[in-house]
Amino acid sequence: VDMAAAVQQVLERIPGLLAVMITDRDGVVIVQAAVETFQTDTVPHSILSSAASVLEQAAKLGAGGSVATVADYTNMKVAHFESDQLIIHLIATKEANSGFLLEMRDEIMQKLKPLFSSFPQQ
């Protein structure tokens, strides 16, 4: 399975999506895709590297395990999905529908399952 092609398919499927970035829990990019007009290096590394901590802290609030969060920034919206040792980051326009981004989680996870299975679980 060509993971870059699978990530590109996810990118093309979601309205308002600018980039899909898959990282390890430290924010190191494993694979990514972006629309031509968006430079992934404009996403602060701190957004990518803090996602795992954000998901862990959300789980500690007493509502059970957290598998997804959406953060609204000045110029973008970022959804983070957790999958074992990897984090999926959907970078979208400010106007993107947060509910739709979250709703796509299961479909994205299914499409990218081969990538996740190649990383050891902890």
Side-chain angles (χ1 to χ4, degrees), residues 55-100:
L55 290 163
E56 288 170 10
Q57 291 302 314
K60 291 179 182 178
L61 293 175
S66 178
V67 295
T69 62
V70 175
D72 216 346
Y73 296 96
T74 305
N75 59 347
M76 72 179 110
K77 193 173 285 190
V78 182
H80 307 281
F81 304 139
E82 185 173 34
S83 175
D84 299 318
Q85 294 307 303
L86 300 177
I87 308 288
I88 301 165
H89 311 270
L90 303 181
I91 293 84
T93 63
K94 184 92 171 118
E95 298 77 26
N97 184 314
S98 298
F100 188 69

Side-chain angles (χ1 to χ4, degrees), residues 11-33:
L11 177 68
E12 294 169 358
R13 167 88 173 83
I14 302 174
L17 201 55
L18 300 171
V20 177
M21 303 173 80
I22 300 176
T23 67
D24 66 9
R25 295 182 71 74
D26 295 321
V28 176
V29 177
I30 309 292
V31 63
Q32 65 185 5

